[in-house]
Amino acid sequence: MNSREEKWIRDSIKTTELMQPSADFTNNLMQLIKPKHKVETAPLISKNAWYAIVAFIGAITLLVLTINVEISYSIPLFDMRLPMVKISNFTALLLTVVAPLFFLQTVIISKYFKSAVNWG
Amino acid sequence: MPAITDSDCIAAVLSGNTQQYALLVNRYKDLIYTLCARCLPSVELAEEAAQDSFLKAFKSLSQFNKKAKFSTWLYRIAYNTCMDYLKKKAIATDQLNYNYVEEVGEEASVLHKLHDEERTEAILKAMDRLAKEDRFVLTLYYYEELSTEELAEVLGISPNYAKQKLFRARKQLGQIIEEHATELINDYE
């Protein structure tokens, strides 16, 4: 190949316009490399809180099972004496377990709605 | 305002600002796509390979030697990607080339009335008759004016071997041109 041909080839290639990929080439590529946003939300009840709840319920259960509970109600004003209401261990157990769970539920719900308001 | 260099972009991307990679993509996409298109049998495949090349470069950007030239590194990735595609797809490219050679033969007379556009067409057609790897090499050599050492880096071979490869490719292109576009060259000032 002589220098004339070499020059012709060089100039021809140099003046050849580069081909262009599709218009959304960069966008498509950037979509692929965009870091995946992982929404991390903190749990409403932490692990430690769960341990405390379990320990509390366990302690109450143990307490109820080991002692007998007798509760009597009277209305002094009228000096009326209602028949003594006896609460069985089972009922006491239910009350002691359900009551804290009920309060816990209200706390969780209020916390949830507060955070929902913050997001909004 | 000073232009943002490749190194600045790379540093920004590595520090977490991945959006800066778009600058690098926009800077090199045309050339990378052209290189892929010269190697691969279809524009769809070329686009896929170009995208793959940029993705690979992004994923291994942390391994990029900052002293090296980003473009050369990117060309190497594109070259390897194209070679992988050719191996994988193993499309009946030889058949395509064969048909094309016949077509070029028929169109030889058309090459006589060339001007600028036709010159471009002629050189592209001539290059199409070369081996795919040679098209890649010649585009980098003539268009990007890469040195033999840089070409060797892109191809992952020794500079001597790159020199031989380049010599053979240029010789072959010269022969094709002589055969089909002698008048063009004679008319060329």
PDB file of all heavy atoms in Angstrom, chain A residues 20-46:
ATOM      1  N   GLN A  20     -24.469   5.753  15.642  1.00  0.00           N
ATOM      2  CA  GLN A  20     -25.059   6.118  16.940  1.00  0.00           C
ATOM      3  C   GLN A  20     -26.020   5.044  17.419  1.00  0.00           C
ATOM      4  O   GLN A  20     -26.858   4.580  16.641  1.00  0.00           O
ATOM      5  CB  GLN A  20     -25.789   7.444  16.820  1.00  0.00           C
ATOM      6  CG  GLN A  20     -24.811   8.601  16.661  1.00  0.00           C
ATOM      7  CD  GLN A  20     -25.501   9.935  16.613  1.00  0.00           C
ATOM      8  OE1 GLN A  20     -26.698  10.008  16.337  1.00  0.00           O
ATOM      9  NE2 GLN A  20     -24.757  10.980  16.865  1.00  0.00           N
ATOM     10  N   PRO A  21     -25.901   4.692  18.681  1.00  0.00           N
ATOM     11  CA  PRO A  21     -26.862   3.715  19.211  1.00  0.00           C
ATOM     12  C   PRO A  21     -28.231   4.373  19.383  1.00  0.00           C
ATOM     13  O   PRO A  21     -28.381   5.564  19.116  1.00  0.00           O
ATOM     14  CB  PRO A  21     -26.248   3.325  20.554  1.00  0.00           C
ATOM     15  CG  PRO A  21     -25.431   4.491  20.961  1.00  0.00           C
ATOM     16  CD  PRO A  21     -24.949   5.136  19.698  1.00  0.00           C
ATOM     17  N   SER A  22     -29.201   3.630  19.852  1.00  0.00           N
ATOM     18  CA  SER A  22     -30.548   4.191  20.012  1.00  0.00           C
ATOM     19  C   SER A  22     -30.528   5.369  20.983  1.00  0.00           C
ATOM     20  O   SER A  22     -29.633   5.478  21.830  1.00  0.00           O
ATOM     21  CB  SER A  22     -31.498   3.109  20.518  1.00  0.00           C
ATOM     22  OG  SER A  22     -31.028   2.632  21.754  1.00  0.00           O
ATOM     23  N   ALA A  23     -31.521   6.232  20.859  1.00  0.00           N
ATOM     24  CA  ALA A  23     -31.551   7.467  21.646  1.00  0.00           C
ATOM     25  C   ALA A  23     -31.581   7.209  23.153  1.00  0.00           C
ATOM     26  O   ALA A  23     -31.065   8.009  23.936  1.00  0.00           O
ATOM     27  CB  ALA A  23     -32.757   8.293  21.232  1.00  0.00           C
ATOM     28  N   ASP A  24     -32.205   6.087  23.538  1.00  0.00           N
ATOM     29  CA  ASP A  24     -32.313   5.828  24.977  1.00  0.00           C
ATOM     30  C   ASP A  24     -31.219   4.882  25.485  1.00  0.00           C
ATOM     31  O   ASP A  24     -31.370   4.262  26.539  1.00  0.00           O
ATOM     32  CB  ASP A  24     -33.713   5.294  25.322  1.00  0.00           C
ATOM     33  CG  ASP A  24     -34.122   4.151  24.429  1.00  0.00           C
ATOM     34  OD1 ASP A  24     -33.314   3.786  23.550  1.00  0.00           O
ATOM     35  OD2 ASP A  24     -35.226   3.612  24.603  1.00  0.00           O
ATOM     36  N   PHE A  25     -30.138   4.814  24.741  1.00  0.00           N
ATOM     37  CA  PHE A  25     -29.047   3.922  25.111  1.00  0.00           C
ATOM     38  C   PHE A  25     -28.529   4.231  26.526  1.00  0.00           C
ATOM     39  O   PHE A  25     -28.452   3.345  27.384  1.00  0.00           O
ATOM     40  CB  PHE A  25     -27.902   4.057  24.091  1.00  0.00           C
ATOM     41  CG  PHE A  25     -26.729   3.172  24.361  1.00  0.00           C
ATOM     42  CD1 PHE A  25     -26.711   1.864  23.919  1.00  0.00           C
ATOM     43  CD2 PHE A  25     -25.621   3.638  25.075  1.00  0.00           C
ATOM     44  CE1 PHE A  25     -25.617   1.036  24.180  1.00  0.00           C
ATOM     45  CE2 PHE A  25     -24.537   2.828  25.324  1.00  0.00           C
ATOM     46  CZ  PHE A  25     -24.538   1.528  24.878  1.00  0.00           C
ATOM     47  N   THR A  26     -28.209   5.497  26.755  1.00  0.00           N
ATOM     48  CA  THR A  26     -27.647   5.873  28.063  1.00  0.00           C
ATOM     49  C   THR A  26     -28.674   5.652  29.175  1.00  0.00           C
ATOM     50  O   THR A  26     -28.332   5.122  30.236  1.00  0.00           O
ATOM     51  CB  THR A  26     -27.181   7.345  28.041  1.00  0.00           C
ATOM     52  OG1 THR A  26     -26.326   7.511  26.912  1.00  0.00           O
ATOM     53  CG2 THR A  26     -26.417   7.711  29.292  1.00  0.00           C
ATOM     54  N   ASN A  27     -29.916   6.049  28.898  1.00  0.00           N
ATOM     55  CA  ASN A  27     -30.958   5.887  29.920  1.00  0.00           C
ATOM     56  C   ASN A  27     -31.145   4.424  30.296  1.00  0.00           C
ATOM     57  O   ASN A  27     -31.231   4.081  31.479  1.00  0.00           O
ATOM     58  CB  ASN A  27     -32.292   6.437  29.420  1.00  0.00           C
ATOM     59  CG  ASN A  27     -32.349   7.935  29.606  1.00  0.00           C
ATOM     60  OD1 ASN A  27     -31.586   8.500  30.380  1.00  0.00           O
ATOM     61  ND2 ASN A  27     -33.236   8.572  28.877  1.00  0.00           N
ATOM     62  N   ASN A  28     -31.221   3.582  29.276  1.00  0.00           N
ATOM     63  CA  ASN A  28     -31.397   2.144  29.540  1.00  0.00           C
ATOM     64  C   ASN A  28     -30.252   1.596  30.373  1.00  0.00           C
ATOM     65  O   ASN A  28     -30.463   0.829  31.313  1.00  0.00           O
ATOM     66  CB  ASN A  28     -31.466   1.359  28.226  1.00  0.00           C
ATOM     67  CG  ASN A  28     -32.749   1.636  27.487  1.00  0.00           C
ATOM     68  OD1 ASN A  28     -33.703   2.150  28.069  1.00  0.00           O
ATOM     69  ND2 ASN A  28     -32.787   1.322  26.213  1.00  0.00           N
ATOM     70  N   LEU A  29     -29.067   2.034  30.025  1.00  0.00           N
ATOM     71  CA  LEU A  29     -27.884   1.554  30.737  1.00  0.00           C
ATOM     72  C   LEU A  29     -27.891   2.041  32.186  1.00  0.00           C
ATOM     73  O   LEU A  29     -27.622   1.272  33.117  1.00  0.00           O
ATOM     74  CB  LEU A  29     -26.625   2.056  30.021  1.00  0.00           C
ATOM     75  CG  LEU A  29     -25.323   1.489  30.536  1.00  0.00           C
ATOM     76  CD1 LEU A  29     -25.163   0.045  30.091  1.00  0.00           C
ATOM     77  CD2 LEU A  29     -24.152   2.298  30.028  1.00  0.00           C
ATOM     78  N   MET A  30     -28.249   3.309  32.350  1.00  0.00           N
ATOM     79  CA  MET A  30     -28.253   3.868  33.710  1.00  0.00           C
ATOM     80  C   MET A  30     -29.320   3.211  34.584  1.00  0.00           C
ATOM     81  O   MET A  30     -29.161   3.103  35.788  1.00  0.00           O
ATOM     82  CB  MET A  30     -28.454   5.392  33.675  1.00  0.00           C
ATOM     83  CG  MET A  30     -27.294   6.146  33.050  1.00  0.00           C
ATOM     84  SD  MET A  30     -25.666   5.685  33.671  1.00  0.00           S
ATOM     85  CE  MET A  30     -25.680   6.421  35.294  1.00  0.00           C
ATOM     86  N   GLN A  31     -30.401   2.770  33.942  1.00  0.00           N
ATOM     87  CA  GLN A  31     -31.432   2.037  34.692  1.00  0.00           C
ATOM     88  C   GLN A  31     -30.860   0.734  35.229  1.00  0.00           C
ATOM     89  O   GLN A  31     -31.184   0.304  36.326  1.00  0.00           O
ATOM     90  CB  GLN A  31     -32.635   1.720  33.797  1.00  0.00           C
ATOM     91  CG  GLN A  31     -33.504   2.911  33.461  1.00  0.00           C
ATOM     92  CD  GLN A  31     -34.159   3.528  34.671  1.00  0.00           C
ATOM     93  OE1 GLN A  31     -34.608   2.815  35.562  1.00  0.00           O
ATOM     94  NE2 GLN A  31     -34.170   4.838  34.743  1.00  0.00           N
ATOM     95  N   LEU A  32     -30.010   0.132  34.422  1.00  0.00           N
ATOM     96  CA  LEU A  32     -29.428  -1.152  34.821  1.00  0.00           C
ATOM     97  C   LEU A  32     -28.429  -1.010  35.952  1.00  0.00           C
ATOM     98  O   LEU A  32     -28.287  -1.915  36.773  1.00  0.00           O
ATOM     99  CB  LEU A  32     -28.734  -1.819  33.619  1.00  0.00           C
ATOM    100  CG  LEU A  32     -29.632  -2.339  32.513  1.00  0.00           C
ATOM    101  CD1 LEU A  32     -28.811  -2.819  31.332  1.00  0.00           C
ATOM    102  CD2 LEU A  32     -30.492  -3.492  33.020  1.00  0.00           C
ATOM    103  N   ILE A  33     -27.742   0.127  35.974  1.00  0.00           N
ATOM    104  CA  ILE A  33     -26.714   0.265  37.008  1.00  0.00           C
ATOM    105  C   ILE A  33     -27.179   1.076  38.214  1.00  0.00           C
ATOM    106  O   ILE A  33     -26.440   1.228  39.163  1.00  0.00           O
ATOM    107  CB  ILE A  33     -25.417   0.880  36.442  1.00  0.00           C
ATOM    108  CG1 ILE A  33     -25.648   2.296  35.929  1.00  0.00           C
ATOM    109  CG2 ILE A  33     -24.828   0.008  35.365  1.00  0.00           C
ATOM    110  CD1 ILE A  33     -24.358   2.983  35.549  1.00  0.00           C
ATOM    111  N   LYS A  34     -28.422   1.585  38.121  1.00  0.00           N
ATOM    112  CA  LYS A  34     -28.948   2.374  39.237  1.00  0.00           C
ATOM    113  C   LYS A  34     -29.003   1.496  40.482  1.00  0.00           C
ATOM    114  O   LYS A  34     -29.509   0.378  40.406  1.00  0.00           O
ATOM    115  CB  LYS A  34     -30.348   2.887  38.890  1.00  0.00           C
ATOM    116  CG  LYS A  34     -30.764   4.083  39.710  1.00  0.00           C
ATOM    117  CD  LYS A  34     -31.937   4.788  39.071  1.00  0.00           C
ATOM    118  CE  LYS A  34     -33.213   4.011  39.236  1.00  0.00           C
ATOM    119  NZ  LYS A  34     -34.386   4.703  38.722  1.00  0.00           N
ATOM    120  N   PRO A  35     -28.478   1.992  41.608  1.00  0.00           N
ATOM    121  CA  PRO A  35     -28.530   1.159  42.808  1.00  0.00           C
ATOM    122  C   PRO A  35     -29.974   0.867  43.191  1.00  0.00           C
ATOM    123  O   PRO A  35     -30.829   1.743  43.126  1.00  0.00           O
ATOM    124  CB  PRO A  35     -27.839   2.006  43.876  1.00  0.00           C
ATOM    125  CG  PRO A  35     -27.852   3.387  43.350  1.00  0.00           C
ATOM    126  CD  PRO A  35     -27.898   3.305  41.870  1.00  0.00           C
ATOM    127  N   LYS A  36     -30.199  -0.372  43.537  1.00  0.00           N
ATOM    128  CA  LYS A  36     -31.556  -0.751  43.919  1.00  0.00           C
ATOM    129  C   LYS A  36     -31.856  -0.172  45.308  1.00  0.00           C
ATOM    130  O   LYS A  36     -31.155  -0.460  46.261  1.00  0.00           O
ATOM    131  CB  LYS A  36     -31.681  -2.276  43.979  1.00  0.00           C
ATOM    132  CG  LYS A  36     -31.215  -2.970  42.709  1.00  0.00           C
ATOM    133  CD  LYS A  36     -32.331  -3.065  41.701  1.00  0.00           C
ATOM    134  CE  LYS A  36     -31.911  -3.775  40.455  1.00  0.00           C
ATOM    135  NZ  LYS A  36     -30.943  -3.107  39.615  1.00  0.00           N
ATOM    136  N   HIS A  37     -32.879   0.702  45.352  1.00  0.00           N
ATOM    137  CA  HIS A  37     -33.220   1.302  46.643  1.00  0.00           C
ATOM    138  C   HIS A  37     -34.049   0.331  47.472  1.00  0.00           C
ATOM    139  O   HIS A  37     -35.190   0.057  47.154  1.00  0.00           O
ATOM    140  CB  HIS A  37     -34.000   2.601  46.440  1.00  0.00           C
ATOM    141  CG  HIS A  37     -33.150   3.675  45.865  1.00  0.00           C
ATOM    142  ND1 HIS A  37     -32.095   4.224  46.546  1.00  0.00           N
ATOM    143  CD2 HIS A  37     -33.151   4.261  44.655  1.00  0.00           C
ATOM    144  CE1 HIS A  37     -31.506   5.121  45.789  1.00  0.00           C
ATOM    145  NE2 HIS A  37     -32.130   5.151  44.628  1.00  0.00           N
ATOM    146  N   LYS A  38     -33.423  -0.154  48.512  1.00  0.00           N
ATOM    147  CA  LYS A  38     -34.117  -1.095  49.378  1.00  0.00           C
ATOM    148  C   LYS A  38     -34.713  -0.306  50.532  1.00  0.00           C
ATOM    149  O   LYS A  38     -33.997   0.394  51.258  1.00  0.00           O
ATOM    150  CB  LYS A  38     -33.102  -2.110  49.897  1.00  0.00           C
ATOM    151  CG  LYS A  38     -33.729  -3.351  50.473  1.00  0.00           C
ATOM    152  CD  LYS A  38     -32.652  -4.287  50.951  1.00  0.00           C
ATOM    153  CE  LYS A  38     -33.255  -5.374  51.789  1.00  0.00           C
ATOM    154  NZ  LYS A  38     -32.209  -6.184  52.422  1.00  0.00           N
ATOM    155  N   VAL A  39     -36.030  -0.366  50.642  1.00  0.00           N
ATOM    156  CA  VAL A  39     -36.672   0.371  51.729  1.00  0.00           C
ATOM    157  C   VAL A  39     -36.538  -0.429  53.017  1.00  0.00           C
ATOM    158  O   VAL A  39     -37.073  -1.526  53.145  1.00  0.00           O
ATOM    159  CB  VAL A  39     -38.171   0.620  51.407  1.00  0.00           C
ATOM    160  CG1 VAL A  39     -38.844   1.395  52.523  1.00  0.00           C
ATOM    161  CG2 VAL A  39     -38.287   1.357  50.094  1.00  0.00           C
ATOM    162  N   GLU A  40     -35.758   0.140  53.899  1.00  0.00           N
ATOM    163  CA  GLU A  40     -35.564  -0.560  55.162  1.00  0.00           C
ATOM    164  C   GLU A  40     -36.374   0.142  56.229  1.00  0.00           C
ATOM    165  O   GLU A  40     -36.193   1.318  56.500  1.00  0.00           O
ATOM    166  CB  GLU A  40     -34.083  -0.568  55.520  1.00  0.00           C
ATOM    167  CG  GLU A  40     -33.327  -1.597  54.714  1.00  0.00           C
ATOM    168  CD  GLU A  40     -31.868  -1.667  55.113  1.00  0.00           C
ATOM    169  OE1 GLU A  40     -31.533  -1.202  56.212  1.00  0.00           O
ATOM    170  OE2 GLU A  40     -31.095  -2.175  54.307  1.00  0.00           O
ATOM    171  N   THR A  41     -37.280  -0.594  56.819  1.00  0.00           N
ATOM    172  CA  THR A  41     -38.094  -0.003  57.869  1.00  0.00           C
ATOM    173  C   THR A  41     -37.764  -0.681  59.184  1.00  0.00           C
ATOM    174  O   THR A  41     -37.584  -1.901  59.229  1.00  0.00           O
ATOM    175  CB  THR A  41     -39.594  -0.183  57.573  1.00  0.00           C
ATOM    176  OG1 THR A  41     -39.801  -1.557  57.241  1.00  0.00           O
ATOM    177  CG2 THR A  41     -40.043   0.675  56.407  1.00  0.00           C
ATOM    178  N   ALA A  42     -37.686   0.133  60.204  1.00  0.00           N
ATOM    179  CA  ALA A  42     -37.399  -0.430  61.522  1.00  0.00           C
ATOM    180  C   ALA A  42     -38.650  -1.122  62.026  1.00  0.00           C
ATOM    181  O   ALA A  42     -39.762  -0.638  61.804  1.00  0.00           O
ATOM    182  CB  ALA A  42     -37.003   0.697  62.459  1.00  0.00           C
ATOM    183  N   PRO A  43     -38.517  -2.258  62.671  1.00  0.00           N
ATOM    184  CA  PRO A  43     -39.715  -2.926  63.176  1.00  0.00           C
ATOM    185  C   PRO A  43     -40.363  -2.092  64.278  1.00  0.00           C
ATOM    186  O   PRO A  43     -39.675  -1.363  65.002  1.00  0.00           O
ATOM    187  CB  PRO A  43     -39.161  -4.249  63.734  1.00  0.00           C
ATOM    188  CG  PRO A  43     -37.706  -4.044  63.915  1.00  0.00           C
ATOM    189  CD  PRO A  43     -37.301  -2.992  62.945  1.00  0.00           C
ATOM    190  N   LEU A  44     -41.687  -2.170  64.318  1.00  0.00           N
ATOM    191  CA  LEU A  44     -42.406  -1.376  65.327  1.00  0.00           C
ATOM    192  C   LEU A  44     -42.012  -1.797  66.737  1.00  0.00           C
ATOM    193  O   LEU A  44     -41.914  -0.988  67.645  1.00  0.00           O
ATOM    194  CB  LEU A  44     -43.919  -1.537  65.133  1.00  0.00           C
ATOM    195  CG  LEU A  44     -44.507  -0.817  63.914  1.00  0.00           C
ATOM    196  CD1 LEU A  44     -45.958  -1.182  63.746  1.00  0.00           C
ATOM    197  CD2 LEU A  44     -44.347   0.684  64.034  1.00  0.00           C
ATOM    198  N   ILE A  45     -41.844  -3.088  66.904  1.00  0.00           N
ATOM    199  CA  ILE A  45     -41.433  -3.580  68.228  1.00  0.00           C
ATOM    200  C   ILE A  45     -40.049  -4.181  68.084  1.00  0.00           C
ATOM    201  O   ILE A  45     -39.842  -5.085  67.267  1.00  0.00           O
ATOM    202  CB  ILE A  45     -42.432  -4.644  68.749  1.00  0.00           C
ATOM    203  CG1 ILE A  45     -43.831  -4.032  68.818  1.00  0.00           C
ATOM    204  CG2 ILE A  45     -42.003  -5.180  70.099  1.00  0.00           C
ATOM    205  CD1 ILE A  45     -44.912  -5.024  69.116  1.00  0.00           C
ATOM    206  N   SER A  46     -39.151  -3.651  68.872  1.00  0.00           N
ATOM    207  CA  SER A  46     -37.779  -4.124  68.744  1.00  0.00           C
ATOM    208  C   SER A  46     -37.648  -5.530  69.342  1.00  0.00           C
ATOM    209  O   SER A  46     -38.531  -6.006  70.066  1.00  0.00           O
ATOM    210  CB  SER A  46     -36.831  -3.164  69.439  1.00  0.00           C
ATOM    211  OG  SER A  46     -37.049  -3.250  70.826  1.00  0.00           O
TER     212      SER A  46
END
